[in-house]
Amino acid sequence: MSIQQGFIASCLSRAVVEALSKTLGVERKLLEEAFETGRLKVSKPPSKSMGDYSIALHYAFKTAGVKQGDWPALAGRIIEYLNSSSFRDECFISSVEFANGYLNFHIDFTRFSRRVIEAILTGEVEGRVRSVGGGRMVVVEHTSANPVHPLHVGSGRNSVIGDTFARILSKLGFNVNRRYYVNDMGRQVAFLVYGVSILREKGVKPPSDFKPDHWYGIVYALTNLVIEERGLLRKLKSAEAEFWASLSTLLSDQAVRSILPESVVHSLQGVLGKKAFNKDTVKLVREVEDVLKGFEQALSSNESYKSLKAKAESYLKLAGEYAKTQRLIRRLAIQAPEAYTAISSSIVDPEKALAEIRGLMKKCEEEDPAVLALFHEVSKSVIDGFRETLAKLNISFDEFDWESSREILSGAHEAVRELESKPFARREEGALLVDLDAAAEHSAFVRDLFHPDKPGKFIIERSDGTTLYVTRDIAYTIYKFRKTGAEVVYNVIASEQAREQKQVKAVLYLLGYEKEAENLFHFVYELVRLKGLRMSGRRGLYYTLDELVKDYYTVVSKIYYETGRVKGGEALSGEEASRVLEDLAVANARALLLSVEPFKVLTFDPGRLEEALYGSTILYSYVRLQSILRKLKGVEPLENLREIRAGALGLSWDGYEPSEVEEELIDLLADYERVLVSSYRDLKPNRVLEYALALSNTVNKFYESHRVMGEQRSEARAFREALVVAALTVMRELVDVLGFPHVRKI
RNA sequence: GGGCCCGUCGCCUAGCCAGGAUAGGGCGCCGGCCUUCUAAGCCGGAGGCCCGGGGUUCGAAUCCCCGCGGGCCCGCCA
């Protein structure tokens, strides 16, 4: 386990650099580099009895050309140096041993604890953490889901990762600007707008008991599905006609007649006769297949048989799809009967509907003010629903940027004009094409960006003069830098957009925005997969973020009312309880969506939420720390933390030797700064969650086995009080970063 | 056809970038623990040799190569 940096780790690195350069004669600079690159690093021994920290010397010995037989002797000299130098004191070393090529350090926790606790209580740690960003402006764009249906757990993952990352940046002292890019142009919104205009014509109003995003989600899916259903119905009818025709052909085929017995021919004719009053063609098709089954081999090379078989197959396949689509429609019709009736009666000819939608899109792309306004208006209602959902999860934005806005659109045209004159751009059949392959020949930046793939080409302006998504995205990216004066822009966007993000970055660079291109980061995250449900907005199939929170509320309530409360403790009032349960639900939802490394697919089973209660675990130990201090101090700990910290600084516990669990807690607390910085540098906000969980577990162990109030020995009581205050201080920061509500009691 | 990402106990996941000592957690499973700061907790147990195969190395879950499996991308879509 590597634990670069950190309180003691950085001190030990310095100590070992000195020791090695003195004893092995290796250049100091080389050793420092080795620590920086991780060739040498501070880690934890497999067992506590071996030491608290260790450094593997294999690499150093090897580079210095020391033979394995000479290791112990040299190690002896290294240890001698460490023991006699000031590092022994500085790094809280109580003893050093050599074993198996490792330098193992035992730490004087009595002194180390004092240092760690003081650094936390005085705000030294906080201050250092906040100095990382130095007030630099950064933009985090996240969520940016298409406003055509509610946020589902997939978009929710984006929101939580983006928001947590923004919170980390903010803790680190960056000036963070959070933005949401609303894609209110294009095909998906056109479908929704088409459905909405039908409802308006028919006077169907959004019901008041629906959140707008949920309502429009149904409208959007119904529009898609009804058009699909109509299309399928047409195909189904013609497939049916073709099937009957090919059955007649078969029956009049002499070759077939010579193979089939008269009785079989008869029953086939019987089936054919029923087609006029058919109720269930699927059944009839199956009947024909059944009847012919026994003659499959005899007929296998017969053309009319082969044709019939193919027709039957394609008919059944279509019928299956049709039935499935109908089921999906029925599902939605039950939820919104008026909407269903209106849409279903208005859409008769699917071609006509699609043509009208295309017309809407065209007008939108041509920037027809009335159509743009309509697109914008509908999108805005959905976004209002998003805002509500996100607010519940403690997620908010500084700005919503609309794709249809004047600034973006004119920026897009401007980008086109600028690109037009570039040697790597050319007109092809009227459209403007950016040839990044050509650009890459002269630009190492572009080459490296796509390596080892070919950069490829892409269209940036249609032959009719309209712009595309990527064009507007280029304009938007420039806008983000200009508008905010940001040094760095992070786009939290799904991995499927990786190519488009590279195209934007490349074009930015080629347009002369070199610094911006270099400071534009695609924060990649992967999709969410559910066990037992394939999400599809177009089909109205999704597990929404609202449902996730609601389901967690149910889970958490069940635990609260059934298994909790066994051991006294003052029960919360009904109102307080539901507030707390709501908070727990939010924490659990956020934690779940953050729990996996962003670039890995997150899979979970909505039916087994009770198995993923990371939020509860963290908040529970948070509450425990508070409850100790509440009893001890007689005040509300979170409200009086400043005073409590100051008070704890005055405590003295000289000579107290921390227990193993206490040492573990100290070690973890000392690691806070490192975790926060590394989660930012490596774009892994999930590390903060993991760290918070580890801290919670240790706090629980401590809580179980160490009394604070009941402790007789005054130095132990003082130490523990200070430790609890320090732990609560760090925990409060973590709860902030994770965006959890600051729960006081459970 | 080309490119990117992922593959660790029954399930989920950390470690991989910067190779080192018995691969950490969580869920689930088995067995214990509520007179003392709330048992949404704690203690103990069973369970993995890190997708497969080669290679580099004194040493590989980690680096390289070849496979296999899964996801994604290569539109005058967004």
Side-chain angles (χ1 to χ4, degrees):
Chain A
M1 181 198 178
S2 156
I3 51 158
Q4 286 292 1
Q5 291 172 12
F7 238 82
I8 289 197
S10 62
C11 184
L12 290 180
S13 328
R14 267 179 289 129
V16 169
V17 166
E18 282 306 311
L20 290 178
S21 72
K22 289 258 160 53
T23 53
L24 295 181
V26 183
E27 260 190 74
R28 195 171 294 137
K29 203 165 159 220
L30 282 175
L31 290 163
E32 279 164 1
E33 264 174 32
F35 269 105
E36 267 163 43
T37 57
R39 305 301 299 263
L40 283 174
K41 61 190 169 192
V42 179
S43 54
K44 291 243 171 193
S47 137
K48 185 105 177 155
S49 62
M50 300 165 98
D52 299 298
Y53 292 91
S54 67
I55 293 176
L57 294 181
H58 310 70
Y59 170 76
F61 283 149
K62 202 180 147 193
T63 357
V66 181
K67 288 205 193 75
Q68 192 143 7
D70 300 333
W71 286 8
L74 267 160
R77 285 174 51 202
I78 292 167
I79 291 170
E80 208 174 300
Y81 171 83
L82 287 171
N83 278 334
S84 60
S85 78
S86 64
F87 285 114
R88 189 190 162 93
D89 215 44
E90 214 178 297
C91 305
F92 309 98
I93 300 168
S94 70
S95 67
V96 197
E97 285 151 19
F98 180 78
N100 263 335
Y102 292 85
L103 224 38
N104 289 329
F105 299 87
H106 289 267
I107 296 305
D108 177 353
F109 269 92
T110 304
R111 286 175 48 238
F112 181 45
S113 304
R114 171 112 247 157
R115 178 79 188 88
V116 172
I117 290 173
E118 274 179 8
I120 292 168
L121 295 181
T122 56
E124 182 191 329
V125 169
E126 230 171 304
R128 250 203 323 270
V129 162
R130 271 173 235 295
S131 70
V132 174
R136 278 173 291 166
M137 175 65 88
V138 295
V139 166
V140 176
E141 181 207 321
H142 68 84
T143 308
S144 300
N146 285 327
V148 289
H149 50 65
L151 294 173
H152 50 72
V153 289
S155 15
R157 186 179 192 196
N158 184 321
S159 306
V160 171
I161 290 174
D163 184 67
T164 307
F165 186 62
R167 283 164 181 273
I168 292 168
L169 289 171
S170 171
K171 254 319 156 217
L172 291 175
F174 288 94
N175 194 351
V176 186
N177 185 263
R178 302 154 208 231
R179 308 188 84 88
Y180 186 119
Y181 186 47
V182 187
N183 306 124
D184 59 343
M185 293 178 73
R187 200 181 149 80
Q188 299 194 52
V189 184
F191 267 81
L192 175 59
V193 165
Y194 181 67
V196 169
S197 35
I198 289 175
L199 296 188
R200 288 190 180 165
E201 261 169 50
K202 301 258 173 183
V204 179
K205 296 225 161 59
S208 56
D209 55 337
F210 264 96
K211 266 182 81 215
D213 48 340
H214 287 256
W215 169 253
Y216 286 118
I218 291 176
V219 175
Y220 171 70
L222 274 175
T223 309
N224 271 293
L225 287 168
V226 169
I227 291 173
E228 193 179 310
E229 189 217 5
R230 297 290 187 267
L232 279 171
L233 185 61
R234 290 192 167 185
K235 282 195 203 157
L236 195 60
K237 287 218 170 115
S238 70
E240 187 186 343
E242 282 178 39
F243 170 76
W244 292 126
S246 89
L247 180 58
S248 315
T249 312
L250 180 98
L251 287 171
S252 54
D253 184 336
Q254 283 312 314
V256 174
R257 299 290 286 249
S258 68
I259 291 169
L260 296 179
E262 204 48 33
S263 63
V264 171
V265 173
H266 243 94
S267 59
L268 287 177
Q269 278 165 340
V271 174
L272 195 54
K274 282 189 219 164
K275 89 170 190 194
F277 346 65
N278 86 75
K279 287 275 183 275
D280 190 349
T281 309
V282 171
K283 211 171 135 196
L284 297 179
V285 173
R286 292 239 165 87
E287 213 176 310
V288 170
E289 279 188 329
D290 272 357
V291 170
L292 286 171
K293 205 165 222 163
F295 307 93
E296 196 157 2
Q297 230 160 9
L299 289 169
S300 64
S301 61
N302 180 282
E303 285 307 318
S304 44
Y305 173 73
K306 279 199 270 187
S307 155
L308 178 73
K309 220 181 136 186
K311 300 293 179 200
E313 210 170 284
S314 71
Y315 175 81
L316 288 175
K317 195 173 161 232
L318 274 169
E321 277 175 46
Y322 182 69
K324 201 169 158 192
T325 308
Q326 280 193 312
R327 274 198 299 277
L328 290 166
I329 291 175
R330 216 171 305 134
R331 217 181 119 250
L332 298 171
I334 291 166
Q335 297 175 61
E338 334 70 36
Y340 166 71
T341 314
I343 290 169
S344 153
S345 63
S346 301
I347 298 175
V348 182
D349 180 353
E351 291 307 324
K352 198 178 140 234
L354 287 172
E356 282 182 44
I357 290 169
R358 267 195 301 274
L360 278 170
M361 275 164 62
K362 183 106 171 71
K363 280 196 172 149
C364 180
E365 279 149 10
E366 284 165 355
E367 297 163 28
D368 176 311
V371 173
L372 279 184
L374 182 61
F375 274 52
H376 179 89
E377 182 210 326
V378 172
S379 305
K380 187 165 177 311
S381 306
V382 180
I383 292 288
D384 285 340
F386 288 1
R387 278 192 161 107
E388 198 183 319
T389 304
L390 293 170
K392 190 158 62 182
L393 286 157
N394 299 326
I395 298 172
S396 63
F397 290 88
D398 294 292
E399 211 71 57
F400 284 78
D401 297 309
W402 303 81
E403 191 177 11
S404 66
S405 72
R406 210 53 260 160
E407 284 139 308
I408 305 294
L409 291 176
S410 57
H413 291 299
E414 196 180 314
V416 169
R417 271 201 303 283
E418 277 180 54
L419 279 165
E420 215 153 21
S421 57
K422 303 283 181 193
F424 52 82
R426 60 173 183 271
R427 290 277 164 192
E428 240 173 48
E429 292 170 30
L432 185 62
L433 179 126
V434 171
D435 185 346
L436 289 179
D437 289 329
E441 282 175 30
H442 308 285
S443 167
F445 183 85
V446 174
R447 213 160 42 234
D448 295 344
L449 186 59
F450 287 88
H451 182 82
D453 205 359
K454 285 257 171 293
K457 313 167 175 58
F458 65 98
I459 301 288
I460 204 160
E461 187 189 62
R462 293 194 183 90
S463 46
D464 63 4
T466 60
T467 59
L468 289 98
Y469 174 80
V470 62
T471 324
R472 286 168 235 139
D473 202 9
I474 290 163
Y476 179 47
T477 308
I478 296 169
Y479 175 83
K480 278 187 284 193
F481 276 108
R482 276 205 188 140
K483 177 98 177 176
T484 62
E487 262 177 55
V488 179
V489 169
Y490 295 96
N491 290 341
V492 183
I493 294 176
S495 70
E496 54 191 6
Q497 297 230 50
R499 190 164 197 93
E500 188 266 355
Q501 286 289 303
K502 282 184 184 174
Q503 290 169 342
V504 169
K505 198 167 170 149
V507 168
L508 229 56
Y509 190 88
L510 295 171
L511 282 177
Y513 295 96
E514 298 176 3
K515 221 178 104 219
E516 286 81 356
E518 269 157 14
N519 288 320
L520 173 68
F521 295 100
H522 178 194
F523 189 135
V524 182
Y525 80 95
E526 260 297 345
L527 301 173
V528 173
R529 187 151 320 124
L530 296 178
K531 292 216 159 117
L533 173 69
R534 197 171 191 98
M535 293 198 284
S536 160
R538 213 172 51 74
R539 328 199 107 209
L541 294 174
Y542 32 71
Y543 184 40
T544 67
L545 202 44
D546 291 319
E547 283 171 281
L548 179 67
V549 175
K550 213 175 93 213
D551 290 348
Y552 260 125
Y553 185 89
T554 309
V555 165
V556 137
S557 305
K558 202 173 157 216
I559 296 170
Y560 182 77
Y561 290 109
E562 284 179 10
T563 65
R565 314 300 95 204
V566 181
K567 185 183 176 182
E570 51 211 286
L572 299 168
S573 74
E575 205 174 307
E576 277 175 322
S578 64
R579 177 71 234 157
V580 167
L581 293 174
E582 179 71 29
D583 287 346
L584 288 174
V586 166
N588 282 316
R590 285 192 66 126
L592 173 72
L593 295 174
L594 189 66
S595 62
V596 175
E597 298 207 287
F599 56 83
K600 289 193 181 179
V601 175
L602 166 64
T603 311
F604 77 92
D605 184 345
R608 298 173 75 175
L609 291 182
E610 68 275 9
E611 290 177 11
L613 300 172
Y614 316 116
S616 288
T617 303
I618 291 164
L619 288 180
Y620 190 69
S621 64
Y622 187 46
V623 162
R624 280 182 149 179
L625 291 170
Q626 293 176 61
S627 102
I628 293 171
L629 293 174
R630 190 177 296 119
K631 285 252 158 110
L632 204 59
K633 299 282 155 197
V635 294
E636 210 31 62
L638 290 182
E639 276 167 33
N640 301 282
L641 197 50
R642 186 187 292 268
E643 295 73 31
I644 292 177
R645 276 162 68 173
L649 266 174
L651 294 169
S652 147
W653 58 84
D654 289 344
Y656 178 69
E657 277 187 39
S659 70
E660 211 168 290
V661 174
E662 286 167 335
E663 287 182 3
E664 204 182 310
L665 201 44
I666 288 289
D667 247 348
L668 266 172
L669 292 173
D671 210 24
Y672 166 68
E673 185 181 344
R674 200 207 106 243
V675 169
L676 205 63
V677 172
S678 92
S679 70
Y680 146 67
R681 294 230 165 98
D682 297 342
L683 304 183
K684 289 184 180 181
N686 57 308
R687 264 187 207 156
V688 178
L689 177 72
E690 235 171 86
Y691 173 73
L693 278 167
L695 187 57
S696 296
N697 284 331
T698 310
V699 164
N700 282 334
K701 275 189 219 169
F702 167 80
Y703 185 91
E704 234 21 80
S705 50
H706 298 68
R707 296 284 121 186
V708 181
M709 292 185 70
E711 177 59 47
Q712 296 304 307
R713 296 167 300 162
S714 63
E715 64 296 350
R717 199 169 54 242
F719 173 79
R720 288 175 192 166
E721 180 185 333
L723 185 56
V724 167
V725 178
L728 182 63
T729 304
V730 170
M731 203 59 143
R732 189 181 61 167
E733 295 283 294
L734 292 169
V735 169
D736 259 350
V737 170
L738 293 169
F740 293 177
H742 288 272
V743 172
R744 294 176 179 187
K745 292 179 182 176
I746 293 177

